[in-house]
Amino acid sequence: MKQSSPFVFTTSVLGYPILFVLLIWIVFWFEIRFGISFNSFGVRPGEVKGLRGILFSPFIHGDIKHLFNNTIPLFVLSMSLFYFYRKISWPVLIIGLLLTGILTWSIGRPANHIGASGIIYMLAAFLFFKGIFSKYYRLVALSLIVVFLYGGMLWYVTPINPEISWEGHLSGLISGFALALFYRKNTIKSPKYEWEKPEYSEKEDLFMQHFDENGNFIERRFETKEEAPQPPEVNSGQAPKGEQDIENDVSNKITYRYFYNKSEFKKE
């Protein structure tokens, strides 16, 4: 049966985020285990060879601290994407990855830009702006949660630390905003109550018939007896005819006799 609700929890909501996190940890373990460095596969701005980092750089991290700092935000934000925007989750993720990498390659400093930070900024920006554009209460609440949890990341889109790729962060922020703007019309409509529907009529509403034009409660009277709602049948406690006959037959055959014996108490 097809789910009518736009928010449906499926195995992909947890499965894909776990897979993303597992991949970046496997790549880091492979580097440590075999003494190999994949840093050269990062985004190198201005170099044709550096374009391969658009696909590879999100899975490469410099150290365990860099990896750990990206693990939890990547898991939480990607899980939110697949739950709240499951119909457009893959286009947002793929296009956002490519767009973030291309912007980083275009505006970045001549260095190896690695890490999943750009994707994290892209997801955070998309979830925030998309919720604001939708004006749907659940998605707006998600936007506020994103701001509460990751609002401090906004400082790192500026060059405050030369060891951090602020260009990648800024590229992710721009990409997320652009995707939210592109998908702004793909919104969830708020459910309408009966009185909000165009075919609603107060005269046909049984509840509204108990009030006059001034909003005063009035007792509804029925012109004929047939119009009045009939009370539900109350069980009188009598057994059905067949069972009653059986009880009568049994009562005629069984006789109960009671004997009273006076007790004798002896005083001491």
Side-chain angles (χ1 to χ4, degrees):
M1 183 176 178
K2 187 177 180 180
Q3 298 285 352
S4 58
S5 174
F7 307 115
V8 180
F9 185 85
T10 61
T11 55
S12 61
V13 174
L14 283 176
Y16 291 128
I18 291 176
L19 179 61
F20 299 153
V21 172
L22 188 61
L23 283 176
I24 63 177
W25 276 89
I26 289 176
V27 171
F28 185 78
W29 172 85
F30 192 87
E31 289 183 298
I32 299 299
R33 177 65 179 80
F34 296 100
I36 302 174
S37 177
F38 293 137
N39 290 354
S40 60
F41 287 87
V43 176
R44 294 187 63 87
E47 298 182 10
V48 177
K49 189 177 181 179
L51 289 172
R52 62 186 180 182
I54 295 174
L55 297 177
F56 298 141
S57 63
F59 303 98
I60 305 171
H61 293 79
D63 51 34
I64 189 67
K65 182 180 178 181
H66 186 202
L67 177 63
F68 181 77
N69 289 339
N70 286 343
T71 296
I72 297 177
L74 178 63
F75 177 77
V76 173
L77 295 174
S78 59
M79 184 174 63
S80 301
L81 176 68
F82 280 99
Y83 179 74
F84 290 98
Y85 302 101
R86 71 177 190 273
K87 292 183 178 180
I88 59 174
S89 57
W90 280 110
V92 168
L93 191 61
I94 295 175
I95 298 174
L97 184 147
L98 297 175
L99 188 58
T100 300
I102 293 173
L103 288 176
T104 304
W105 184 85
S106 302
I107 67 176
R109 293 165 292 173
N112 288 320
H113 297 258
I114 58 175
S117 301
I119 303 301
I120 292 173
Y121 274 79
M122 182 274 297
L123 292 174
F126 174 80
L127 294 175
F128 172 75
F129 289 109
K130 185 66 171 67
I132 298 300
F133 293 156
S134 67
K135 299 180 181 180
Y136 185 71
Y137 69 100
R138 288 189 179 183
L139 302 181
V140 172
L142 176 64
S143 300
L144 298 178
I145 293 174
V146 170
V147 170
F148 178 76
L149 294 177
Y150 304 111
M153 297 191 310
L154 188 62
W155 294 104
Y156 296 97
V157 299
T158 58
I160 60 176
N161 190 339
E163 297 181 358
I164 296 177
S165 176
W166 64 269
E167 299 95 334
H169 298 172
L170 181 60
S171 299
L173 180 65
I174 296 173
S175 301
F177 174 76
L179 288 171
L181 195 62
F182 179 78
Y183 287 107
R184 69 185 184 279
K185 294 183 179 180
N186 191 350
T187 58
I188 299 172
K189 296 182 179 179
S190 301
K192 289 187 176 181
Y193 297 99
E194 290 295 329
W195 58 83
E196 295 178 328
K197 296 180 180 179
E199 63 273 11
Y200 172 75
S201 175
E202 289 187 1
K203 295 181 179 180
E204 298 179 0
D205 193 330
L206 296 179
F207 178 76
M208 296 302 296
Q209 292 176 7
H210 291 283
F211 299 88
D212 59 14
E213 62 276 4
N214 297 322
N216 300 318
F217 178 79
I218 57 175
E219 183 179 359
R220 184 182 177 190
R221 300 182 181 276
F222 300 92
E223 297 179 358
T224 60
K225 189 175 182 180
E226 288 75 9
E227 293 181 0
Q230 300 297 325
E233 296 183 359
V234 180
N235 188 1
S236 61
Q238 297 180 354
K241 185 176 180 180
E243 295 182 6
Q244 190 173 6
D245 294 339
I246 295 175
E247 291 179 359
N248 293 334
D249 295 340
V250 174
S251 62
N252 293 331
K253 295 179 182 180
I254 299 176
T255 303
Y256 295 93
R257 296 180 180 180
Y258 298 91
F259 298 92
Y260 174 74
N261 293 327
K262 184 177 181 180
S263 300
E264 295 181 359
F265 296 93
K266 187 177 181 180
K267 296 182 178 179
E268 295 182 355

